[in-house]
Structures are given as structure tokens and as C-alpha cells.
Amino acid sequence: MKFSKFGQKFIQPTGISQLMDDLGDALKSDQPVNMLGGGNPAKIAAVNEVFLQTYQALGNDSNASDPDSSAIISMANYSNPQGDAEFIDALVGFFNRHYDWNLSAENIALTNGSQNAFFFLFNLFGGAFSDNKLDEHGQEKKSQSVDKSILLPLAPEYIGYSDVHIDGQHFTAVLPHIDEVTHDGEEGFFKYRVDFEALENLPALKEGRIGAICCSRPTNPTGNVLTDDEMAHLAEIARRYDVPLIIDNAYGMPFPNIIYSDAHLTWDDNTILCFSLSKIGLPGVRTGIIVADPEVIAAVSAMNAVVNLAPTRFGAAIAKPLVQNDRIKQLSDNDIKPFYQQQATLAVRLLKEALSDYPLMIHKPEGAIFFWLWFKDLPITTLELYERLKEKGTLVVPSQFFFPGVDVDNYRHAHECIRMSIAADEQTLTDGIAVIGEVVRELYDKAK
Ligand SMILES: Cc1ncc(COP(=O)(O)O)c(C=O)c1O
């Protein structure tokens, strides 16, 4: 079969597609696997109970012969391309209740998961731009094409951004400052901070070759939460250079609120805030929510129309009542956040026990569902470490894939870290960390 250039771009094997296959195979395998590799959220019984009740109520309250009953409306009609209007209204009410953003329905669009939103947004703001200027007679001058990229102010970043551009990759990333910090009074932790001096001196920024700035907060893979000061600084730079600031809030507040540091969420008309229902425990319903200026919402709705006709209404149907009565926020505050906080405490204890006298550094756990471990001067790359752990039935993700926009061949740190999920049950976490400890201790011991 001959595929177009567009097709080739998507089907070529990448390192990450191989890893994702490994994760998929592990789930199918009959051998026990300590799955610390994927991005699935934990299955929290109290939360699933509420989803199930809502799901059942949706069916019970509906009548097959009544076209206006809620389940029939959701299943049997397309929404408009912007997304389910009642859910959007519920979100407008919710956000205006909890924040002073003064939103209207024109500020919100739905997508089929936030991954779908990033595909749209990165192609809207990254890639070839024609610079259509008018001459003194009001005639369009011959346009010049400018290639713009998405600026990731703090590498490492979410692996899922890497291949979403329809032609090539358009990222410019800034390497982090690495600060050693304490966590709950303990040593052995570090925190990435934005290197604003490097960022402000980027030729691409000064020369108009940046189309948008984007960061995940909390960050997948590290569990970092950029501080309010860092966010305000990024917002100021974005405004100064007349580009939007895209905030990937998949793990952030007010839902799922997997965030333990002191942080606040702000929005203005130059900010594109992306939410997801996935990490509250509904990745299967594929629902992303974009809050942005109406011009961006109109563009996303137009892309929805072409790519999807309309976004799925199933997530909207489940989440609408939970948004209307604030239950989504209560679940996040009372069940989801404490669950991951407990997992983080357990993971720190197990890691410290397993590798107490070894050069393990843990990124300060501030949120999200992952730990980011740095094995300084490890004698092998973490891609090789990943293979050794896989042989022993433990899956993690090596760090080199989390650096879109960075030349990882010339950045050793990008080969010294791993991401491990803390969403697994206690036994899996205990067994998986025991294997990591055993393999890593042996590597450092042999190198002495
Ligand atoms: C930081 C981040 N952004 C976006 C996504 C995409 O999530 P979804 O498409 O399920 O909403 C993920 C999924 O793991 C993520 O970790």
C-alpha cells in the first residue's frame, strides 16, 4: 500500500510507539507485570461508584419512545461542532461559580479528549504561517511563509505532544534549572524551574518564530507544578510577544485537582486552558474541554466539524450533573487528590528504603500521577535500564522521549531519568519499586 507523506508521518515507527506496544502487550500477557508505565488513572471505588450511579440514572430516567429524554438526546443526536450545549452551559456556570473569569458559552469548546485538543491547537499555532501584509494601497503584498514552533518553556514535557504536528515537529524547548530541594524535611529531592534568562534570549522568540507557549501544570512526566510566579511570568511573555499561553491542566484544579503544592489557576483572553475528564477516572469517554477566547473556540469548532463532525456526547452526559452540583469538585478534593497524595507518600518511602545509599534523586512530588526519578551518573542509559526492568517484569518509561524540541543526544540528563506511575495498587507499587531498587543497586555497585 502506498501512503501519502501525511500518512507516512503518522505510521512510521517511533520509540514511543514501541513502548506503547510493550505496555499493551504487558496488559494482555499472562505473566504478572508490575505496570508502572502507562498513563491510566487509578480506579478509585468511591469515585467509580458515583460515575456508575450517574450512568444508571441516565438510562433509568430515559424512555426509549421519548426523543426528548436525556439519554436519547445524548445518544441519538449529533451535538453542534462546538460540543454538547447543555454541558457547555453547565461548565460556564461551574467556572463562573468558582473563578472570576466571567465566561460565556462562546469561551468553551469540547474535543474528543484533550489529546485531540493538542492536535488542533499545535497545528493552529505551529507550522507554516503566511505573513499577509497589506501595502500602502491596501493590496495584499506577496506573502512570506514563516515557520513557527510551539515553545515549551520547561523540558521535560508530556510525551503525547511529540508527534502531533501534521508536518514534522515544531517545538522549541528550554532546558530546566535543576534545584536541589527538600520534601517534608527530607533530602534527596530536586525541582525543575523555568530558565527565564535562556527563554527570553531565544532567537526564535525574538524573531517571531514562536506561535504559542505551552506547559502542562502539573507536569506529566515529572509531577512538577510551575509556581504562580512562573505562570505569571510566562503569561506576561506570551502577551508581550502576542502569542497565546496554552496551559495543559489535565491533572490540575479544580478537577481532578491532583496538586499538592500551593498553586492558583488563572485565565484571561490570551490563555487557552485545556481540561480533561480522563484523570478524574473517565479516560474512556474521551472528553476534553477548552476554555479560550471566542476566536480560538470558533477555530476549534471548525476543526471539530471537519475531523469529527461533532465531539462525543457521552462524557458530557455523565459529567453534566456532576458539574452542575459541584460533585466533580468534591470528588476531586475528597477522594482523588487524597488518594494520589497517599500513593506519593508510599512511593517516597519505598524508594528511599530501596535506594537509601545510592544517588537516587526524586523530583519533588507536587502533583499528577507520576514520579520522576533521576539516577545521576547511571552507567547505562535509562533506555537500557528500561529493557532490564522489562526483563524482570517491571515497566516504566525511560526519560529520553519526554524532551520534544531538545537534542537529547547532547543532553545526558535526558538519559538518566525514568517516569513511573503511582496509580498502581499498593502491591504492584511495592513489587515494582523492589525490582527498580535491585537492578539499579547492582548497576551502581558494578561501576564502583
Ligand atoms: C499532560 C497530559 N495532557 C494531555 C493528556 C491527554 O489526555 P486525554 O486525551 O485523555 O484528555 C494526557 C494523558 O495522559 C496528559 O498526561
Side-chain angles (χ1 to χ4, degrees):
M1 211 60 83
K2 289 199 177 93
F3 292 116
S4 67
K5 249 172 91 179
F6 171 90
Q8 297 290 347
K9 147 108 185 52
F10 286 95
I11 60 172
Q12 70 190 342
T14 58
I16 188 57
S17 63
Q18 176 60 47
L19 291 180
M20 295 316 278
D21 286 347
D22 281 357
L23 299 181
D25 291 348
L27 288 174
K28 282 183 254 154
S29 140
D30 46 9
Q31 299 297 314
V33 171
N34 302 315
M35 171 57 84
L36 306 180
N40 260 325
K43 290 163 187 67
I44 305 171
V47 178
N48 283 340
E49 181 63 38
V50 174
F51 295 151
L52 267 183
Q53 281 167 7
T54 318
Y55 180 43
Q56 278 157 356
L58 188 68
N60 292 343
D61 296 347
S62 297
N63 176 341
S65 53
D66 176 4
D68 292 330
S69 51
S70 41
I72 306 296
I73 290 183
S74 301
M75 288 190 307
N77 296 292
Y78 295 113
S79 70
N80 68 26
Q82 187 185 351
D84 185 288
E86 286 190 12
F87 184 45
I88 289 178
D89 285 345
L91 287 164
V92 168
F94 175 84
F95 287 126
N96 287 343
R97 256 194 321 282
H98 296 286
Y99 300 94
D100 58 354
W101 297 344
N102 204 13
L103 302 179
S104 75
E106 291 188 345
N107 293 111
I108 298 185
L110 306 181
T111 55
N112 289 337
S114 60
Q115 186 69 22
N116 185 205
F118 291 107
F119 180 77
F120 290 163
L121 293 170
F122 288 175
N123 284 298
L124 272 174
F125 295 106
F129 279 64
S130 55
D131 198 6
N132 290 335
K133 293 211 173 96
L134 300 182
D135 66 16
E136 61 273 27
H137 309 294
Q139 300 293 313
E140 219 168 70
K141 282 204 267 186
K142 210 164 181 272
S143 67
Q144 267 195 331
S145 180
V146 186
D147 205 28
K148 294 194 185 183
S149 46
I150 305 297
L151 170 57
L152 305 174
L154 185 58
E157 252 303 354
Y158 172 47
I159 208 163
Y161 298 158
S162 303
D163 292 302
V164 302
H165 283 115
I166 52 172
D167 60 334
Q169 267 213 8
H170 303 274
F171 289 107
T172 299
V174 182
L175 296 177
H177 272 310
I178 303 180
D179 281 359
E180 286 200 23
V181 295
T182 56
H183 175 65
D184 292 340
E186 272 191 276
E187 307 281 325
F189 295 86
F190 69 104
K191 178 170 167 66
Y192 291 134
R193 296 189 198 274
V194 179
D195 181 346
F196 280 103
E197 199 186 320
L199 193 155
E200 295 255 16
N201 283 313
L202 278 176
L205 185 64
K206 293 184 183 169
E207 293 161 11
R209 286 183 282 111
I210 294 297
I213 302 176
C214 175
C215 58
S216 58
R217 183 191 195 233
T219 308
N220 174 359
T222 57
N224 192 19
V225 174
L226 276 84
T227 62
D228 287 351
D229 281 351
E230 285 175 315
M231 294 310 291
H233 200 158
L234 290 176
E236 184 272 310
I237 294 170
R239 211 167 256 290
R240 187 162 15 115
Y241 285 94
D242 194 21
V243 296
L245 174 62
I246 302 172
I247 303 174
D248 179 351
N249 201 36
Y251 303 89
M253 64 201 87
F255 57 84
N257 201 20
I258 311 171
I259 198 161
Y260 331 121
S261 64
D262 183 26
H264 300 86
L265 186 64
T266 54
W267 178 83
D268 62 23
D269 60 2
N270 196 47
T271 303
I272 303 176
L273 257 183
C274 298
F275 297 84
S276 168
L277 295 186
S278 296
K279 310 300 169 174
I280 60 167
L282 295 173
V285 303
R286 310 305 304 127
T287 300
I289 300 158
I290 300 180
V291 176
D293 184 72
E295 196 182 347
V296 175
I297 296 305
V300 168
S301 304
M303 293 174 98
N304 259 340
V306 174
V307 178
N308 303 313
L309 292 187
T312 166
R313 303 185 80 172
F314 186 55
I318 301 286
K320 186 180 74 181
L322 306 176
V323 165
Q324 280 168 332
N325 65 11
D326 278 353
R327 195 78 200 269
I328 196 166
K329 186 166 169 357
Q330 290 153 12
L331 286 174
S332 302
D333 295 349
N334 303 335
D335 295 284
I336 299 171
K337 172 179 170 151
F339 171 86
Y340 285 106
Q341 209 155 8
Q342 253 177 27
Q343 294 289 100
T345 306
L346 172 67
V348 167
R349 179 170 63 72
L350 293 170
L351 283 162
K352 291 276 181 187
E353 281 167 11
L355 286 157
S356 57
D357 297 324
Y358 292 80
L360 160 72
M361 297 281 278
I362 306 173
H363 192 286
K364 189 175 172 69
E366 294 183 312
I369 64 173
F370 306 105
F371 265 35
W372 182 252
L373 312 181
W374 178 18
F375 302 112
K376 212 166 174 214
D377 300 326
L378 193 73
I380 59 173
T381 67
T382 45
L383 184 59
E384 292 165 279
L385 174 64
Y386 157 78
E387 290 293 345
R388 294 198 191 186
L389 294 174
K390 189 169 83 171
E391 275 166 29
K392 292 187 180 277
T394 294
L395 286 180
V396 297
V397 186
S399 48
Q400 67 184 74
F401 301 107
F402 294 96
F403 288 85
V406 174
D407 172 13
V408 288
D409 291 344
N410 291 310
Y411 187 47
R412 178 164 181 174
H413 182 70
H415 302 277
E416 291 187 331
C417 305
I418 58 170
R419 186 192 80 175
M420 55 163 265
S421 166
I422 57 163
D425 59 70
E426 185 171 341
Q427 194 59 52
T428 308
L429 212 51
T430 307
D431 294 347
I433 290 174
V435 173
I436 295 172
E438 182 192 316
V439 173
V440 169
R441 285 194 305 270
E442 194 185 326
L443 283 166
Y444 278 124
D445 287 346
K446 276 198 182 150
K448 271 182 193 162

